[in-house]
Each structure stands twice: as structure tokens, then as C-alpha cells.
Amino acid sequence: MDEVARGKAVETVEYEVEELENIFALLVLGVFVGIPSPPIQITMDLMPEMEHEFAVMLAKVTTAHDPLGELFSVLDID
């Protein structure tokens, strides 16, 4: 039972890290969706480091129509 609880804890932390990456990407690249963004020089300096965040943002677009379904799948609610 302890291993199952630890496994779920790890999955939950991984999900939270992914969401924090999404928030970071929106803060830096928010100009593309209408959110005020940092100065363009900072954005351009961070652009090479954000390849993964672009992929995450594109993946989020496909699940944007059902955010509750994604949350329920993480929480394992049937």
C-alpha cells in the first residue's frame, strides 16, 4: 500500500511540474495568446531554451476542450 501511495505521489508531483511548465511558457510566450509578456529581448533570449514548452503548449491545445477530463484522469476518478 505504501508503494502505491508513493507512486501516486510521484505522478501528482509530475503533473504539477508539467502545469508549472505551462504557466512559465504562458508567462514568457503569452504575447501569442494576448497576455502581456516580458520585454521582447528576454523572450528572445529564452526562446532557444523553450523547445519543450512549445511542445507542451501544443499538446495542451488538443486537450483544451476537456480540461476536467484531464484532471479526472490524473486523480483517477471513475
Side-chain angles (χ1 to χ4, degrees):
M1 187 166 189
D2 185 50
E3 287 182 34
V4 171
R6 288 176 190 241
K8 291 300 279 182
V10 169
E11 290 174 8
T12 304
V13 169
E14 287 175 347
Y15 177 76
E16 289 177 7
V17 166
E18 184 179 315
E19 290 301 314
L20 288 173
E21 288 175 350
N22 294 337
I23 293 169
F24 176 72
L26 277 176
L27 287 174
V28 174
L29 305 170
V31 70
F32 297 119
V33 292
I35 299 172
S37 65
I40 193 70
Q41 182 61 34
I42 293 172
T43 303
M44 296 305 285
D45 288 343
L46 289 173
M47 197 74 80
E49 308 296 327
M50 301 210 42
E51 182 177 353
H52 175 71
E53 280 74 19
F54 276 126
V56 169
M57 284 179 63
L58 289 174
K60 284 294 176 184
V61 168
T62 60
T63 60
H65 65 282
D66 191 18
L68 286 178
E70 183 181 351
L71 179 63
F72 288 155
S73 68
V74 169
L75 297 176
D76 197 29
I77 297 173
D78 294 326

